[in-house]
Amino acid sequence: MSDQPVLLFLHGVGDGDPDGQWRATLQDSLTRAGYPGLDAATVITPMYAHALKGFDEPEQLPARTFKAPTRDAAKLNRRDFERRLAAMEHRIGRQDQEHPFNETIAYVAAPVHDLVADLAVEVKFFKQAANYLSSKQIRAQVLNRILAVVPESGKLVIVAHSLGSVIAADLLLRLPVDVEVSALVTIGSPLANGRFKLDDLRDALTDPPPHLSWWVNFRNAWDPVAIRRGLSSVFPWMLDHTINTGHGSNPIVPHSASAYLGHGTVADTIGYALFGSKSKEIAFIQRAMDIPLNAVEIKTLMGLRYCHLIKNELSGDLRRRYLIALRSVQSQTISDLYSHNVSTNRPIPSQLARLDFDYSNDNSLLPEPTFNQSGTSKEEAVTLLTAVSATNVIAPFDITISKEMEQAALEELASEMGLKRQFGSDVLEAGKRAQAILRDSQNMQWVKVGALVAGTAALVVGTGGLALAAAPGLAGAAVITSALASFGPGGMIGGLITAGALVGGGGLLVGSGGGTMVTGLAGDETSVDQFEGFLALQLAAVILRQQHKIDTDPSVWQMLTELEIRVSRQHERLDEISDPKSSAVASLAKKRIIVKRALKYMSDNGLEPGEPEMAEADGSPVEKRGSRFIPQLQRSK
């Protein structure tokens, strides 16, 4: 066999498309998608339509050649498979931007086609599919015909339509041991239909076979055979993806192989499986420019740099898991930022554009960011480093990192900002102290509060409250508001923006957005954990500013006292009327304790605003109990 990629096409029931309509459709689709045609591949198309109707001579069912790995090998195989599948999921998601799926049409189509599916199950081709699973002789006859034309070694891409997908799942376990299935693409599959008895296949494929790189199943929203359920209901480890090709007067037409193979996303997936990436350059570079970073981009670069610093501290299995997560997060983060910048007609800065990579290519190198922000002031660093230390920057993954590793990463990040390494350690310690104060315990570990404050942030994304909380030295309200509208409070970018805005939370009392924020924090819509997470961010920044002799923001005290008023009033109002064991009353009582602890710390440490008319003999303000007055406070009085 030549060095050409090998495509094995497994047809469905009927005559097996002897005219090759599937091939002509795929050829045209690959060309439109920018890939070489099928002439650049070795195409194997075994015909077994007659074998599905019955058998002539008894045949032995081919033996299963692959067995599921056990213990550590199974865990490693499963993790590697998920890494490859996640990369394909990301790639398909990008393709869907060019071939969007209309969910509304699909939801309308599904109920109508449920009725058609009931009839389709009874037609001839569905009965043939049932025959394959119920008759060992038919099964053996079909599999032997296919195995007779499959190469003994090398890589193989399998595309399987309808009943062919059932055969493909069966074939996976019986291929020659030196064959590697670099991709399995199934289209119009009935494998998830409840009328099929799949117990032996389901039990044999509880985990992905070690010789399979990835499996993607496409289901057409108008296909009465495939739309009932995804194959992941049978094989949870593979990927389902729904497309919409439209419908015709014949309800079976959307089930045809040509309907699937003519779809751009399906063609691109097959093309990539056969020929790899159609272009090595990254599209984002086309819009890259050497321009200064704005506030959102600084946070993005810092978050990714912090992730890489953490990664560099890890070893063994923990490093492998973290690297898999980081590849996914970095690819998604740059993609999200690119989409946001396009929507605001802003080029992507070259510092960030260079961090993109071909995530769908398992061998592509992960670019490591640099973070040379030596001009960062201590005030800016308080917001940035407190935000990154309080956010799960690897979200949606959850990987526990030791305090020592986080500390080393924060110290290096502080150094890259032009600050002493100790500043990074102080950030982590301030967070721990803040949580210990609020929980009245000195034996606390700094807990990531980004997920907790995300729910709180959602209360005011639409009001401008978070924008008003943004540190004025970093960005204007418009930039933050626009970014939150694009990213939301979750993910790396949204989490860092949210946490950074809430660190400067005293400004939340400015304007109407602040009132909404305080009311939301005091209300039932904010849990005690979210309330505590928000105050922990505030107090951590206060502690860090005090330690490094940075002017304390007086609006933090104002915000806390306003919270105390709102929470206390709500507690007293409900307590007199509600049941004795009311959960709402209990939550308000806990919130009142938390805010009182924050105020007590500030008061005990000289951070309560003093009287501005007090002055030294030379007319300068007096520092009352260690508090440092700033011009904004003096003017406000």
Side-chain angles (χ1 to χ4, degrees):
M1 183 135 333
S2 69
D3 293 333
Q4 289 184 324
V6 180
L7 169 64
L8 172 65
F9 180 77
L10 301 179
H11 66 75
V13 297
D15 59 8
D17 188 14
D19 296 332
Q21 185 176 355
W22 74 268
R23 181 167 183 154
T25 302
L26 181 56
Q27 170 77 19
D28 181 60
S29 298
L30 288 173
T31 302
R32 283 188 282 108
Y35 288 100
L38 291 178
D39 291 341
T42 298
V43 181
I44 302 172
T45 56
M47 306 299 288
Y48 42 82
H50 177 73
L52 289 169
K53 300 175 183 178
F55 60 94
D56 300 321
E57 298 291 336
E59 295 186 30
Q60 290 290 324
L61 192 65
R64 290 180 174 175
T65 54
F66 287 92
K67 296 182 179 179
T70 58
R71 297 186 179 180
D72 291 344
K75 183 184 295 185
L76 183 60
N77 173 63
R78 182 70 179 83
R79 188 177 297 160
D80 287 343
F81 184 87
E82 174 56 35
R83 171 172 49 81
R84 296 189 297 268
L85 192 68
M88 284 307 303
E89 184 176 25
H90 179 76
R91 181 181 184 84
I92 290 171
R94 282 192 176 180
Q95 282 301 309
D96 271 354
Q97 295 175 10
E98 300 177 19
H99 311 284
F101 166 55
N102 190 323
E103 293 185 0
T104 303
I105 292 177
Y107 294 150
V108 172
V112 174
H113 279 67
D114 276 350
L115 299 175
V116 179
D118 288 335
L119 298 175
V121 170
E122 303 301 330
V123 302
K124 182 179 179 180
F125 70 83
F126 242 121
K127 289 182 179 179
Q128 289 184 11
N131 286 342
Y132 177 83
L133 291 172
S134 60
S135 171
K136 285 187 177 181
Q137 288 301 316
I138 290 178
R139 198 171 180 179
Q141 189 170 249
V142 171
L143 289 171
N144 283 328
R145 288 195 179 194
I146 295 172
L147 287 170
V149 295
V150 168
E152 289 295 320
S153 62
K155 293 184 177 182
L156 186 68
V157 174
I158 302 177
V159 176
H161 172 243
S162 191
L163 173 60
S165 66
V166 181
I167 298 171
D170 204 3
L171 185 69
L172 280 177
L173 303 167
R174 308 174 195 276
L175 288 167
V177 294
D178 292 327
V179 168
E180 177 186 343
V181 181
S182 51
L184 171 58
V185 179
T186 51
I187 53 178
S189 176
L191 264 169
N193 192 289
R195 301 199 180 201
F196 291 144
K197 296 180 180 180
L198 297 169
D199 291 344
D200 61 336
L201 281 179
R202 183 185 292 108
D203 293 343
L205 292 171
T206 54
D207 284 304
H211 61 293
L212 174 64
S213 292
W214 49 266
W215 179 0
V216 176
N217 175 61
F218 289 98
R219 49 201 292 265
N220 188 352
W222 294 94
D223 185 349
V225 175
I227 197 57
R228 280 291 188 85
R229 296 184 74 178
L231 299 196
S232 54
S233 63
V234 182
F235 310 110
W237 42 266
M238 51 78 61
L239 176 65
D240 279 307
H241 190 79
T242 305
I243 61 172
N244 175 28
T245 64
H247 64 94
S249 58
N250 184 343
I252 303 303
V253 169
H255 176 66
S256 69
S258 293
Y260 281 95
L261 297 176
H263 192 276
T265 302
V266 177
D268 184 85
T269 302
I270 296 173
Y272 178 78
L274 288 170
F275 306 111
S277 182
K278 58 188 174 184
S279 60
K280 301 303 181 183
E281 72 276 4
I282 302 300
F284 297 168
I285 299 296
Q286 297 175 2
R287 285 181 55 88
M289 291 182 63
D290 289 325
I291 55 176
L293 304 182
N294 64 24
V296 173
E297 293 158 354
I298 287 174
K299 287 183 172 67
T300 301
L301 184 62
M302 177 190 66
L304 290 173
R305 178 59 178 159
Y306 181 68
C307 286
H308 279 265
L309 291 173
I310 290 287
K311 178 255 299 178
N312 294 340
E313 294 290 327
L314 304 177
S315 61
D317 183 64
L318 184 58
R319 179 186 172 90
R320 285 191 292 270
R321 288 195 295 122
Y322 197 90
L323 185 56
I324 292 172
L326 179 53
R327 288 178 67 88
S328 173
V329 168
Q330 182 162 320
S331 178
Q332 188 63 53
T333 296
I334 298 300
S335 179
D336 289 346
L337 184 68
Y338 175 74
S339 298
H340 168 69
N341 282 19
V342 167
S343 69
T344 57
N345 199 30
R346 173 180 169 82
I348 187 166
S350 55
Q351 284 180 269
L352 289 162
R354 61 171 291 274
L355 300 181
D356 194 35
F357 64 103
D358 187 358
Y359 179 45
S360 57
N361 181 356
D362 194 44
N363 295 317
S364 62
L365 296 177
L366 179 66
E368 184 162 337
T370 57
F371 190 67
N372 184 13
Q373 298 291 319
S374 57
T376 306
S377 69
K378 283 189 175 182
E379 177 63 34
E380 291 172 331
V382 167
T383 300
L384 290 171
L385 292 179
T386 300
V388 78
S389 70
T391 303
N392 178 17
V393 289
I394 210 73
F397 302 95
D398 194 1
I399 301 176
T400 301
I401 304 300
S402 71
K403 171 191 169 184
E404 292 75 19
M405 291 178 181
E406 287 192 51
Q407 180 174 323
L410 282 170
E411 288 177 350
E412 180 60 29
L413 203 57
S415 176
E416 293 177 0
M417 290 180 172
L419 304 172
K420 292 182 179 180
R421 299 178 66 88
Q422 183 62 38
F423 197 97
S425 298
D426 293 342
V427 169
L428 202 60
E429 188 60 33
K432 287 176 54 184
R433 282 187 63 194
Q435 289 186 332
I437 290 164
L438 297 182
R439 297 184 184 183
D440 196 25
S441 170
Q442 298 303 314
N443 297 314
M444 297 295 301
Q445 291 294 320
W446 177 222
V447 177
K448 299 293 183 185
V449 298
L452 301 178
V453 301
T456 304
L459 295 172
V460 292
V461 166
T463 68
L466 282 179
L468 295 168
L474 295 181
V479 174
I480 297 297
T481 304
S482 171
L484 281 171
S486 296
F487 303 117
M492 174 184 285
I493 301 177
L496 288 172
I497 293 171
T498 299
L502 294 178
V503 167
L508 291 169
L509 288 179
V510 182
S512 60
T516 304
M517 184 63 169
V518 172
T519 301
L521 285 166
D524 292 339
E525 57 266 53
T526 304
S527 69
V528 173
D529 283 343
Q530 288 173 336
F531 185 87
E532 182 186 276
F534 172 76
L535 263 63
L537 276 173
Q538 301 293 309
L539 196 56
V542 166
I543 292 169
L544 192 59
R545 288 189 177 102
Q546 181 190 29
Q547 183 177 357
H548 287 270
K549 302 187 184 331
I550 304 170
D551 289 339
T552 299
D553 182 355
S555 59
V556 174
W557 176 271
Q558 292 175 290
M559 180 270 298
L560 291 174
T561 55
E562 185 66 24
L563 266 180
E564 182 184 39
I565 292 170
R566 303 276 183 106
V567 170
S568 295
R569 175 62 194 130
Q570 184 76 339
H571 178 268
E572 293 302 316
R573 186 172 72 87
L574 299 185
D575 190 34
E576 291 299 319
I577 301 172
S578 301
D579 292 339
K581 294 185 178 180
S582 166
S583 60
V585 172
S587 294
L588 286 165
K590 292 177 181 178
K591 289 181 180 180
R592 185 159 65 171
I593 292 171
I594 291 169
V595 73
K596 283 183 178 296
R597 286 173 177 166
L599 285 166
K600 183 179 185 301
Y601 174 84
M602 291 188 69
S603 182
D604 289 348
N605 287 272
L607 300 174
E608 177 181 350
E611 297 297 328
E613 64 269 21
M614 296 174 61
E616 297 284 6
D618 61 1
S620 60
V622 171
E623 290 188 1
K624 181 180 179 181
R625 290 187 295 172
S627 177
R628 303 181 67 200
F629 294 94
I630 60 176
Q632 179 185 354
L633 176 60
Q634 297 175 43
R635 289 196 299 269
S636 68
K637 293 292 185 177

